[in-house]
Amino acid sequence: AFMAVSIEATSGLAASISSLPGARVQISGSEVSNNEGVMSSDAMLPLYSASEAFVFADFMGDYGSDDTYLMSPGLGYRALNNNQIFGAYFFTDYERTSLGENFWVLSPGLEWIGLHWDTHLNGYFPMQTKQQNGNSNFASNLGINDYVQLEEGTNNQNDAIMTPYAV
């Protein structure tokens, strides 16, 4: 069974290429099965605006029923020029996995949004030090056959390459 619910509220100006967006809040949730689901939220709040540009704060969060979550606060800047939006942003992501591991990631980025296309260039810089604990190897050589795929009608076999890390 799959169920999804989404709520979105936008105040002020409509979020379109011809006008800068006002504050927005989105909350959504979905149930994948009887015991598993995800709740997501995203809020954008303009902090300063000029005639063709604005600075904003954004907070995104996800929570999974398996005690996993993601918090992602950030700051950004967007400017309107010739019906195009140019922007830059910086986020810090904090994630807790189902195995109880916690990760911090710094995420700067640049964006261009046009009438029909948009492009985003993101960087992801983990803050934890990690140490490779062994050599890379095919998953099937490690006894993990979940990633092995045989292409029908060929002799091709696909496998994942795995590298063990201590985080």
Side-chain angles (χ1 to χ4, degrees):
F2 179 80
M3 180 185 77
V5 175
S6 180
I7 300 169
E8 181 175 344
T10 303
S11 68
L13 302 171
S16 70
I17 196 72
S18 61
S19 62
L20 297 174
R24 123 178 150 255
V25 175
Q26 294 174 296
I27 301 171
S28 62
S30 58
E31 180 182 3
V32 179
S33 68
N34 291 337
N35 297 326
E36 295 184 14
V38 176
M39 179 67 114
S40 298
S41 65
D42 186 16
M44 175 191 253
L45 177 65
L47 301 175
Y48 171 80
S49 63
S51 63
E52 300 291 323
F54 71 104
V55 175
F56 63 92
D58 192 290
F59 181 82
M60 188 205 53
D62 289 331
Y63 179 78
S65 56
D66 56 354
D67 200 27
T68 61
Y69 56 86
L70 168 70
M71 294 183 292
S72 183
L75 293 173
Y77 170 82
R78 286 185 176 162
L80 183 65
N81 186 357
N82 295 324
N83 288 330
Q84 301 175 73
I85 296 175
F86 297 91
Y89 44 86
F90 185 84
F91 282 83
T92 56
D93 300 337
Y94 178 75
E95 185 171 359
R96 179 175 174 85
T97 69
S98 60
L99 299 175
E101 296 293 331
N102 301 321
F103 297 97
W104 281 99
V105 177
L106 299 180
S107 306
L110 300 171
E111 65 184 353
W112 166 79
I113 303 171
L115 291 172
H116 303 289
W117 297 93
D118 61 275
T119 302
H120 304 268
L121 175 65
N122 299 314
Y124 299 98
F125 301 96
M127 297 311 299
Q128 282 80 8
T129 57
K130 62 181 181 179
Q131 181 177 344
Q132 189 169 334
N133 254 359
N135 295 325
S136 297
N137 207 334
F138 288 107
S140 58
N141 291 344
L142 300 172
I144 304 170
N145 295 311
D146 297 337
Y147 302 102
V148 176
Q149 296 176 344
L150 300 174
E151 291 183 29
E152 194 172 318
T154 71
N155 292 324
N156 296 337
Q157 175 179 326
N158 299 313
D159 198 351
I161 294 178
M162 303 188 90
T163 304
Y165 285 96
V167 178

